[in-house]
Amino acid sequence: MTSQCPISSPIRLLESLVVVSTEERLGTPQPSSASLLFVTGLHAVDAKNWPKAQETLTKAMVEAEKPFAPKTDLALALLGLGYMMASSPAQDLTKALQAYKASLTLWEQVHGKHSPHLAPLIFDVGVLTASVGNYALAVKILQRSVNLWKKAPTEVSVSPSPGEEPLTLDVVEKHLEYLKEAVAQQGGAAPPPGSPASTGAPPVTTPATPTQSPTATATQPVSPPASTPVSSPATPTTASSTSSSSRHSSSGHKHSHTHKSHH
C-alpha cells in the first residue's frame, strides 16, 4: 500500500524559485513549453491521473533537455517527476529524492548556493531524506535551512497548496525539533519509514506564524538526471544528467525578485 506523499506540490515553490526580471514584468513574457507541461503535469498528479502525469512530465523533460533551453526548465521538470514519484501508487521515494536533489543543484546554479530563494526547496529535500531513512542527514539539512532562513531580511512564507498551511520558519523549526526528539527517544535508532518521525512531521498540525524570510544553503550536488519515457515513473540517471547540466550551464538566467509576505 502506498504511503502518503511526504511533500506538498512543488507548484507552491514557484513564487520562490522562478523570479521575474524587471524587463519581463514590464513586457509580456511567454512561458516555455517545458514550464507549461510542468504545470499541467502537476495538475494531473493532484487529480491522480497517473498516465497523463507520466506522459506530460516526460514531455516536459524532453523539452527541457533541448539545446539552448534554460536550465530552469530542467529544474522544474525534475521537480515535477520527483513529485509524481513520491505521490503515485508505484511510489519510489528514493527516486523522488534523487530528482529533487538534482533540481536543487540546478537552482543553486541559478540563484547561488546561499540564496533565500532555495529555502523551501531545501526543506522538501530534508523531508524526503528523512522519508528514505537517512535521519541524521535530514536533521542537518533542516537545521541548515532553519539557520539560513533566520538570516533573511524580510518576513516571507511560502504560499500553501489548497487546504495546507503556509510554509514558514515556524513550521520548519517544528518539523526539525520533532524529528530530533523522535530520533533521540529511540536511542539513535531510525524511526520506521512513513512514520511522523521519519518525515519530521508533527503529529498535530500547528498553525504557522510567519516570522522571517526564507534563505537557503545547498545539499551535496547531484547531477540532474535525464528523462526515461517508460510506463513507470522516469528514473533519474547520473550519466545522462551530466550532459543535460552542461547543455544548460550557459542558458541560466539571473533575475531579481521581490518576495510576498504571507501572514
Side-chain angles (χ1 to χ4, degrees), residues 7-8 10 27 33 36 39 47 70 97 103 119 127 144 162 178 181 188 197 209 233 235 250 260-261:
I7 55 175
S8 297
S33 297
L36 291 174
V39 173
L97 176 59
S103 178
V127 171
R144 292 173 71 186
Y178 186 79
E181 292 173 7
T209 303
T235 304
S250 63
K260 298 180 180 180
S261 297

Side-chain angles (χ1 to χ4, degrees), residues 85 91-101 128 131-132 236:
M85 293 170 186
Q91 185 180 62
D92 192 328
L93 295 177
T94 298
K95 291 178 181 178
L97 176 59
Q98 290 172 358
Y100 264 63
K101 289 170 70 176
L128 284 170
S131 298
V132 300

Side-chain angles (χ1 to χ4, degrees), residues 14-258:
L14 293 183
E15 183 179 354
S16 175
L17 292 173
V18 182
V19 296
V20 180
S21 68
T22 302
E23 293 78 9
E24 289 175 320
R25 284 197 297 269
L26 294 175
T28 307
Q30 296 296 321
S32 66
S33 297
S35 62
L36 291 174
L37 288 165
F38 162 76
V39 173
T40 302
L42 292 187
H43 288 321
V45 171
D46 291 337
K48 303 188 184 305
N49 187 341
W50 307 117
K52 182 177 180 180
Q54 171 71 38
E55 178 186 4
T56 306
L57 292 171
T58 299
K59 286 181 179 178
M61 284 292 295
V62 172
E63 289 293 323
E65 290 181 316
K66 288 182 177 180
F68 308 112
K71 67 181 64 177
T72 52
D73 280 359
L74 181 57
L76 287 175
L78 288 166
L79 289 180
L81 284 175
Y83 182 57
M84 180 182 68
M85 293 170 186
S87 306
S88 71
Q91 185 180 62
D92 192 328
L93 295 177
T94 298
K95 291 178 181 178
L97 176 59
Q98 290 172 358
Y100 264 63
K101 289 170 70 176
S103 178
L104 175 58
T105 298
L106 291 172
W107 288 116
E108 289 170 351
Q109 295 171 17
V110 172
H111 296 297
K113 291 185 176 182
H114 303 291
S115 169
H117 295 291
L118 304 179
L121 174 54
I122 289 177
F123 170 77
D124 281 355
V125 171
V127 171
L128 284 170
T129 300
S131 298
V132 300
N134 196 340
Y135 309 105
L137 180 57
V139 168
K140 290 180 180 180
I141 293 172
L142 293 181
Q143 184 64 64
R144 292 173 71 186
S145 179
V146 166
N147 291 345
L148 292 172
W149 202 312
K150 291 179 177 179
K151 295 179 181 179
T154 58
E155 296 182 0
V156 176
S157 64
V158 177
S159 300
S161 299
E164 298 179 351
E165 63 182 351
L167 179 60
T168 65
L169 175 61
D170 185 60
V171 172
V172 177
E173 287 179 321
K174 284 180 170 64
H175 278 71
L176 173 61
E177 291 309 311
Y178 186 79
L179 182 58
K180 282 181 177 179
E181 292 173 7
V183 174
Q185 288 172 3
Q186 298 187 30
S195 67
S198 72
T199 61
V204 178
T205 301
T206 305
T209 303
T211 52
Q212 304 193 35
S213 171
T215 185
T217 185
T219 54
Q220 296 180 354
V222 176
S223 299
S227 61
T228 305
V230 293
S231 57
S232 59
T235 304
T237 56
T238 304
S240 170
S241 64
T242 303
S243 62
S244 297
S245 178
S246 63
R247 288 201 306 272
H248 294 78
S249 61
S250 63
S251 304
H253 298 281
K254 292 186 177 296
H255 305 285
S256 62
H257 178 260
T258 302

